[in-house]
Amino acid sequence: MGRKRKEGDSSEEPKKKSKKEEPEASAPSTDWTASSDAKSKDGRPWNMKIVSWNINGIRAWIKKNGHEYVRKENPDIICFQEIKCAEDKLPPECSIPDYYPYWLTADKEGYAGTGILSKTKPLSIKYGLGIEEHDNEGRAITAEYEKFYLVTSYVPNSGRGLVRLNYRTKEWDEAFREYLLGLEEKKPVILCGDLNVAHKAIDLANPKSNYNKTPGYTQAEIDGLSKLLDKGFVDSFRHLYPDVTGAYSFWTYMGNARSKNVGWRLDYFLISKKLLPSLCDSLIRKEVMGSDHCPIALLLAV
Amino acid sequence: MGRKRKEGDSSEEPKKKSKKEEPEASAPSTDWTASSDAKSKDGRPWNMKIVSWNINGIRAWIKKNGHEYVRKENPDIICFQEIKCAEDKLPPECSIPDYYPYWLTADKEGYAGTGILSKTKPLSIKYGLGIEEHDNEGRAITAEYEKFYLVTSYVPNSGRGLVRLNYRTKEWDEAFREYLLGLEEKKPVILCGDLNVAHKAIDLANPKSNYNKTPGYTQAEIDGLSKLLDKGFVDSFRHLYPDVTGAYSFWTYMGNARSKNVGWRLDYFLISKKLLPSLCDSLIRKEVMGSDHCPIALLLAV
DNA sequence: CATCTGATG
DNA sequence: CATCAGATG
C-alpha cells in the first residue's frame, strides 16, 4: 500500500518492547497499543495492517466507542462482521474519515452483515459469492487489491441444536471453498472474519464438553476448515504460534466467560501459502472491548 | 383504616406549608415530599392515602428505584397499571414489606397487567370484570374494603390508527360502566388508574391537534368517561381544581414532552358522590420519575 | 448476557 | 422514546 511502517500513534517513539525474532515460540504481545517491529521471515518490516472484528451490531459498537479503537489501531483496512444494520440505517459515524466504506447487509433486518473500510480504494469490490442461495445474508465481501484478494466473511452459525449444521457445512462451506479456490487461481487470497469454528482443541477452552454439541466445534465444521487448509490456505495465527494456549477471539457474554478467558478462537486470517513470505505477524487484540469478539490484526510486508 | 394521619416521614414535624382552606382556587402543591394537612369539607383531617401509578413495566420501574417513592409516599394502598410482567417473573422486590400484594396479568406476556399493594387486607379481591372477553388482558382488580370498593384499571388504549377504538368504547367502556354501577349498588366505589382518556381540552396540552385523531382524545372515549360522571362518579382532581391548567399525569417519551409539560391527564381517581364528604385532596405527583406516567394520590378522611 | 426487530404505547 | 418478547448468537 506504499505506506511507511507505522502503528497507532507511537511509531516515531523508541520501541518499548523487543520482540523475539522467532515468534513461533512466544505468546503474542498483550499490549496492543505498543507498536510492533514484526518483520517477515526475510527481514522486511511490515507496511500493511489489516484488522477483522465481529462487532456484534455496529450501532451498539458505535455507542461503546468502537471508533476509538480504529483511530488508535489505525489499520489500512478493517473488516467487520455482524454489523446487524440495514445500509440506510447506518449511523453517520460509520463513515470514518480516510476510509472507503463498503457494506453488505442481510435481507433480514438487523441480522448478520459485513463491511470493509479501506484507506486505499480497492481495484474491485464483489458482494457475496455470486450464488443466489448464499447471497441473501450479507456474509461475504471481496476486495481486490494489487497483490491479493481480501475476502471477509461472517460464516453461518450452525444454530441452537445445530439446526443449521447441514446448511453451514454441506452448502455454505462447500460453495465458499469453491469460491475462494476460484479467486486464488487469479491472485493470492487473504480470508478474514468470523469463520464460526474453532479448529482444534487448543482453540477453545472446553473442547471436550463442546465437541459435536455446540455450534463451532463439530467435526463437520472442523473438517470444513481443514479442507481449506489442505487446499493451500494457512491459519496465520497458528502458523506463527503453534503452541500458544488460551488464545481466543470470542467469549460468550454469559457467565463472565471473558474475565475467566473461557473462550473460542473463531476469528481468523487465513492466507494463501504464496503470501507466507509477506507474513509479519498475526495478532489477537484480546484486551479490546466493545463486542463479544475481539479484533484480530494481520501485519504484512507487501 | 384506623391509621393516624401521617404523610411520608415528616408527619410528626411542624407543618412547613399552610394550605388554603378552599383548595378549589389554588394549584396543587408541587412539593410532594412535604406533608399535607388537607381536610375534608367538614374539617376532618385525611387518614387514608391511596396512590395510583402506571409504571410502564414493573421490572424497569424497579431498576429505576420506584421503590424509593413508595417508601417516601407511604400510601395505605398503591395501585399499579402496566406491570408488563407474568406473575412468576415478578422480581422479589415486588413484595414490599407491610403490603399485601395482588397481581393480575394479561395472557399475552409482557403486556398490560395491574396490581394492588394494600397495607390492610381487603375483605375480598376480584380479578377482572367476570366477563371472559374482557378478562384476558389483566385490566382490572377490585379490592373490597369496609367502606368502599377500590377498583384499579388499565383501560384499553385505542391503538395506533384507532384500530381498537371500537373495542375500547363500544365493548370495554360499556361493560366496565355496567360493572362499576353494579358495585356501587352495594358500596361506594373508588375507581383509579390509567383511564386512557383526557376528559376535556384542559386535560391535555394540544387538544385541537389531537381531537379525534390520537387515542385518548376522541369523542367516543370522552363520552365514555362523561357517561360515568353522569352516573354519579366524580373526577376528584377536577372537582377540587376546576380551573388548574397544565395538570397532566402522562407525557410521551418522545420529543422531551415531559420537560416541556406537553402532557395528558389520563390517570384519575373517580369517586362515588357519596364519598365526596370524605374527600380531602387529589394530587398529581408530577415530579416523580420512573415511568412516562407520574403517580397520583388521593387523600381521604374515612 | 447481549444484539437486534417488531408490537405496543 | 420507552417498555417488553422473541429470534439469534
Side-chain angles (χ1 to χ4, degrees):
Chain A
M1 315 292 289
R3 283 176 67 258
K4 280 213 169 175
R5 180 164 68 90
K6 179 169 189 309
E7 186 172 21
D9 298 332
S10 51
S11 63
E12 314 301 339
E13 294 166 30
K15 302 295 173 290
K16 285 162 198 155
K17 297 201 174 191
S18 73
K19 201 153 175 292
K20 285 183 98 172
E21 289 195 6
E22 309 214 339
E24 284 84 353
S26 72
S29 162
T30 54
D31 180 9
W32 72 272
T33 59
S35 66
S36 163
D37 57 359
K39 293 181 176 60
S40 63
K41 207 150 191 187
D42 57 5
R44 289 172 298 134
W46 67 272
N47 61 357
M48 161 149 224
K49 184 196 286 184
I50 309 174
V51 161
S52 174
W53 196 358
N54 177 321
I55 53 178
N56 190 28
I58 197 164
R59 284 167 292 187
W61 176 83
I62 280 171
K63 284 181 196 150
K64 288 179 288 195
N65 208 16
H67 260 90
E68 198 186 325
Y69 165 75
V70 180
R71 191 178 53 75
K72 287 190 184 160
E73 181 75 89
N74 192 28
D76 297 283
I77 309 167
I78 181 163
C79 301
F80 297 118
Q81 301 87 43
E82 279 206 273
I83 62 172
K84 289 182 162 189
C85 188
E87 205 164 341
D88 58 349
K89 291 185 183 167
L90 286 170
E93 297 92 323
C94 294
S95 318
I96 303 188
D98 305 329
Y99 290 92
Y100 295 90
Y102 305 94
W103 306 106
L104 180 60
T105 60
D107 295 351
K108 195 203 284 193
E109 277 243 12
Y111 180 67
T114 45
I116 296 181
L117 299 178
S118 178
K119 282 201 178 178
T120 60
K121 192 167 181 157
L123 303 179
S124 73
I125 285 279
K126 178 170 173 173
Y127 296 102
L129 310 186
I131 304 170
E132 210 183 319
E133 68 165 307
H134 301 307
D135 284 351
N136 39 36
E137 297 186 332
R139 296 197 175 273
I141 305 176
T142 304
E144 179 185 2
Y145 294 93
E146 199 192 328
K147 304 204 174 147
F148 55 83
Y149 286 105
L150 174 65
V151 180
T152 191
S153 178
Y154 173 45
V155 167
N157 189 294
S158 295
R160 287 254 169 94
L162 302 173
V163 288
R164 236 187 157 195
L165 180 62
N166 261 327
Y167 169 71
R168 152 65 183 275
T169 56
K170 296 195 177 151
E171 316 222 17
W172 170 273
D173 280 354
E174 304 268 330
F176 194 38
R177 191 169 59 247
E178 290 308 308
Y179 175 76
L180 293 168
L181 297 178
L183 277 185
E184 221 197 6
E185 290 175 7
K186 298 186 252 178
K187 272 185 198 184
V189 172
I190 299 171
L191 166 63
C192 71
D194 176 358
L195 304 190
N196 253 324
V197 60
H199 190 224
K200 299 196 170 171
I202 195 175
D203 295 314
L204 71 166
N206 294 314
K208 284 179 191 171
S209 58
N210 285 304
Y211 182 62
N212 278 341
K213 292 197 188 72
T214 311
Y217 197 57
T218 65
Q219 195 55 49
E221 292 164 312
I222 292 165
D223 290 346
L225 178 48
S226 293
K227 280 181 202 163
L228 217 41
L229 301 177
D230 291 343
K231 295 286 188 183
F233 280 89
V234 177
D235 174 351
S236 61
F237 177 85
R238 200 47 85 193
H239 174 80
L240 294 175
Y241 307 102
D243 301 317
V244 169
T245 58
Y248 309 131
S249 64
F250 162 83
W251 306 262
T252 172
Y253 277 124
M254 290 170 253
N256 277 103
R258 190 161 184 172
S259 66
K260 294 181 277 184
N261 197 32
V262 177
W264 301 58
R265 192 165 70 94
L266 301 180
D267 300 272
Y268 296 82
F269 279 103
L270 305 191
I271 62 176
S272 297
K273 259 190 187 139
K274 288 175 201 161
L275 287 173
L276 269 180
S278 303
L279 177 61
C280 297
D281 212 344
S282 186
L283 302 160
I284 301 180
R285 301 307 203 191
K286 69 168 188 252
E287 315 80 11
V288 178
M289 307 303 286
S291 166
D292 48 359
H293 295 245
C294 72
I296 58 174
L298 185 73
L299 305 183
L300 296 175
V302 287
Chain B
M1 314 289 292
R3 282 177 67 259
K4 280 211 167 177
R5 182 163 67 91
K6 181 171 189 307
E7 186 171 21
D9 298 329
S10 49
S11 63
E12 312 302 339
E13 294 166 29
K15 302 294 175 288
K16 285 161 195 154
K17 299 203 171 188
S18 73
K19 198 150 178 295
K20 286 183 98 169
E21 289 194 11
E22 309 214 338
E24 285 82 356
S26 73
S29 162
T30 55
D31 180 9
W32 72 272
T33 60
S35 65
S36 163
D37 56 1
K39 293 180 174 60
S40 63
K41 208 149 191 185
D42 56 6
R44 290 172 298 133
W46 66 272
N47 61 358
M48 162 150 222
K49 185 195 286 184
I50 308 175
V51 162
S52 173
W53 195 359
N54 177 321
I55 53 179
N56 190 28
I58 197 164
R59 285 167 291 186
W61 176 82
I62 280 171
K63 284 182 196 148
K64 288 178 289 196
N65 207 17
H67 261 91
E68 199 186 325
Y69 165 76
V70 180
R71 189 179 55 75
K72 288 189 184 159
E73 182 75 89
N74 192 29
D76 297 283
I77 309 168
I78 181 163
C79 302
F80 296 117
Q81 302 86 41
E82 277 205 273
I83 62 171
K84 289 183 162 189
C85 189
E87 204 162 341
D88 58 348
K89 291 185 183 168
L90 287 171
E93 296 92 325
C94 294
S95 317
I96 302 187
D98 305 328
Y99 290 94
Y100 295 90
Y102 304 93
W103 306 106
L104 180 61
T105 61
D107 294 351
K108 195 203 284 195
E109 277 243 12
Y111 180 68
T114 46
I116 296 181
L117 299 178
S118 178
K119 282 200 179 179
T120 59
K121 193 166 181 158
L123 303 180
S124 72
I125 285 278
K126 177 169 175 173
Y127 297 102
L129 310 186
I131 305 171
E132 210 183 319
E133 68 166 307
H134 301 307
D135 283 352
N136 40 34
E137 297 185 332
R139 295 197 176 272
I141 304 176
T142 303
E144 179 185 1
Y145 294 92
E146 199 191 327
K147 306 207 173 145
F148 55 83
Y149 285 105
L150 174 65
V151 180
T152 191
S153 178
Y154 173 45
V155 167
N157 188 296
S158 296
R160 288 253 170 94
L162 302 173
V163 287
R164 236 188 156 194
L165 180 62
N166 261 328
Y167 170 71
R168 152 64 184 275
T169 55
K170 296 195 178 152
E171 316 223 16
W172 171 273
D173 280 354
E174 304 269 330
F176 194 39
R177 190 169 59 247
E178 290 310 307
Y179 175 76
L180 293 168
L181 297 178
L183 278 185
E184 222 196 6
E185 290 174 8
K186 298 186 255 180
K187 274 185 197 182
V189 171
I190 299 171
L191 165 63
C192 71
D194 176 358
L195 304 190
N196 253 323
V197 60
H199 190 223
K200 299 196 169 170
I202 195 176
D203 295 314
L204 72 166
N206 295 314
K208 285 181 189 167
S209 59
N210 286 303
Y211 182 62
N212 278 340
K213 293 196 186 72
T214 310
Y217 196 57
T218 64
Q219 195 56 50
E221 292 163 311
I222 292 164
D223 291 345
L225 178 48
S226 293
K227 280 181 203 164
L228 218 41
L229 301 178
D230 291 345
K231 296 286 187 180
F233 281 89
V234 177
D235 174 352
S236 61
F237 177 86
R238 199 50 82 193
H239 175 79
L240 294 175
Y241 307 101
D243 302 317
V244 170
T245 58
Y248 309 131
S249 64
F250 163 82
W251 306 262
T252 172
Y253 277 125
M254 290 169 252
N256 277 102
R258 190 162 184 172
S259 66
K260 293 180 277 184
N261 197 31
V262 178
W264 300 59
R265 192 165 69 95
L266 302 181
D267 300 271
Y268 296 80
F269 279 101
L270 305 191
I271 62 178
S272 296
K273 259 190 188 137
K274 290 176 201 160
L275 287 172
L276 268 180
S278 304
L279 175 63
C280 296
D281 211 345
S282 186
L283 302 160
I284 301 180
R285 300 308 202 191
K286 69 168 189 252
E287 315 80 10
V288 178
M289 308 302 286
S291 166
D292 48 359
H293 294 246
C294 72
I296 59 174
L298 185 74
L299 304 183
L300 296 175
V302 287

